[in-house]
Amino acid sequence: MAVIACENVDVWLSGRPILRGIHVNVEEAEMVGLLGPNGAGKTTLLRTIAGLIRPAGGTVRVLGEASGWRTLRHTALLPERGQLPGWLTVSEWLRYASGLYPDWDQASAERLVEELKLRATVPIARLSRGEGVRVGLCTCLARQCPVVLLDEPFTGIDFMSRETIASAIVQACAEARRTVVIATHDVREFEPLLDRVLFLREGVIVADESAEEIRAQGRSVASRYREVFSE
Ligand SMILES: Nc1ncnc2c1ncn2[C@@H]1O[C@H](COP(=O)(O)OP(=O)(O)OP(=O)(O)O)[C@@H](O)[C@H]1O
């Protein structure tokens, strides 16, 4: 059984079609990149998989269950624009989150605080944008849920820290055989991590390819991206 199964999914927002005929299965432990230009529908697809948007047509299943509030227990979503309570310090927030999520793993949370170099005593409102993204990432990865959806995890992250963050994602997900979908514009940085790439244009998946096969042809995901979107 696919961990994520989208069948012929259509999504309309404000009377406009945003996703059309999305058909995709993601298997256990796959790390999938969701790539496409601004406005292609990446965030909308992640939110639909997470059960936050109800499709106008087709079905989305997570571990066999129709996505919705019930499947939230299986899914950690790093939103593109997170809204964490700015008046709490990072450690206060993480303590609060530990009570919020039954699948919270305190040992992982503590390891991630170190790895992601979080400043535990600083109020969230005083963090930089990149630091805020790291707190969101820590919150997602400290949960032991089988599905992780990351929307632009490198937003505001400086060049040197990207490697640290990518390795935290791999460490938290690979061993536990979690299924990960990452919407990103940072194709080059994620390229070595990805098993598969979905190219999304104007709400349609225009190519669904194995990253290994792309590499076996002597090409990179970044060069394939240029090919697909210049066609
Ligand atoms: N709530 C909404 N109501 C109406 N239209 C929306 C809404 N949210 C998103 N859209 C539209 O849906 C389209 C896809 O947006 P989405 O944010 O999913 O794209 P994206 O690929 O994630 O873009 P980016 O790379 O810029 O983050 C855009 O045209 C956007 O304007």
Side-chain angles (χ1 to χ4, degrees), residues 11-96:
V11 169
W12 286 60
L13 296 175
S14 309
R16 227 164 43 86
I18 306 295
L19 298 178
R20 288 175 292 145
I22 300 288
H23 191 92
V24 65
N25 286 332
V26 184
E27 304 297 331
E28 187 188 25
E30 261 194 312
M31 196 166 291
V32 176
L34 186 55
L35 311 178
N38 291 129
K42 302 180 293 297
T43 295
T44 306
L45 181 53
L46 288 186
R47 289 175 57 79
T48 306
I49 294 170
L52 302 176
I53 296 176
R54 192 191 289 264
T59 57
V60 180
R61 294 189 163 271
V62 174
L63 291 164
E65 226 176 312
S67 82
W69 66 268
R70 279 198 183 82
T71 55
L72 289 174
R73 71 188 191 281
H74 298 313
T75 309
L77 170 70
L78 175 73
E80 191 179 20
R81 293 180 205 96
Q83 295 232 319
L84 298 175
W87 61 93
L88 295 181
T89 65
V90 171
S91 65
E92 284 167 348
W93 160 251
L94 293 176
R95 206 172 320 129
Y96 178 71

Side-chain angles (χ1 to χ4, degrees), residues 194-196 209-217:
L194 300 176
D195 299 309
R196 188 170 153 204
E209 299 179 1
S210 144
E212 203 175 311
E213 277 169 29
I214 294 173
R215 291 190 277 265
Q217 291 161 7

Side-chain angles (χ1 to χ4, degrees), residues 199-220:
F199 295 100
L200 194 65
R201 178 167 55 197
E202 293 172 11
V204 175
I205 293 181
V206 289
D208 174 353
E209 299 179 1
S210 144
E212 203 175 311
E213 277 169 29
I214 294 173
R215 291 190 277 265
Q217 291 161 7
R219 289 185 294 178
S220 65

Side-chain angles (χ1 to χ4, degrees), residues 6-187:
C6 299
E7 262 179 55
N8 210 18
V9 171
D10 294 326
V11 169
W12 286 60
L13 296 175
S14 309
R16 227 164 43 86
I18 306 295
L19 298 178
R20 288 175 292 145
I22 300 288
H23 191 92
V24 65
N25 286 332
V26 184
E27 304 297 331
E28 187 188 25
E30 261 194 312
M31 196 166 291
V32 176
L34 186 55
L35 311 178
N38 291 129
K42 302 180 293 297
T43 295
T44 306
L45 181 53
L46 288 186
R47 289 175 57 79
T48 306
I49 294 170
L52 302 176
I53 296 176
R54 192 191 289 264
T59 57
V60 180
R61 294 189 163 271
V62 174
L63 291 164
E65 226 176 312
S67 82
W69 66 268
R70 279 198 183 82
T71 55
L72 289 174
R73 71 188 191 281
H74 298 313
T75 309
L77 170 70
L78 175 73
E80 191 179 20
R81 293 180 205 96
Q83 295 232 319
L84 298 175
W87 61 93
L88 295 181
T89 65
V90 171
S91 65
E92 284 167 348
W93 160 251
L94 293 176
R95 206 172 320 129
Y96 178 71
S98 73
L100 214 54
Y101 299 112
D103 54 5
W104 188 264
D105 182 66
Q106 189 54 28
S108 300
E110 284 167 18
R111 200 196 61 235
L112 285 157
V113 166
E114 293 288 311
E115 269 177 26
L116 297 170
K117 300 187 176 65
L118 300 185
R119 296 189 291 151
T121 56
V122 176
I124 288 173
R126 284 202 223 142
L127 298 178
S128 70
R129 186 155 162 234
E131 286 178 308
V133 173
R134 291 176 205 214
V135 176
L137 200 55
C138 176
T139 311
C140 277
L141 299 178
R143 292 184 52 198
Q144 299 305 293
C145 52
V147 179
V148 176
L149 306 172
L150 304 176
D151 200 352
E152 294 291 350
F154 280 172
T155 305
I157 304 290
D158 65 82
F159 182 70
M160 294 298 281
S161 306
R162 291 179 173 207
E163 216 167 273
T164 314
I165 287 175
S167 96
I169 295 170
V170 170
Q171 204 191 331
C173 297
E175 226 168 74
R177 298 189 55 74
R178 295 158 105 182
T179 302
V180 186
V181 183
I182 306 174
T184 185
H185 293 285
D186 302 284
V187 185

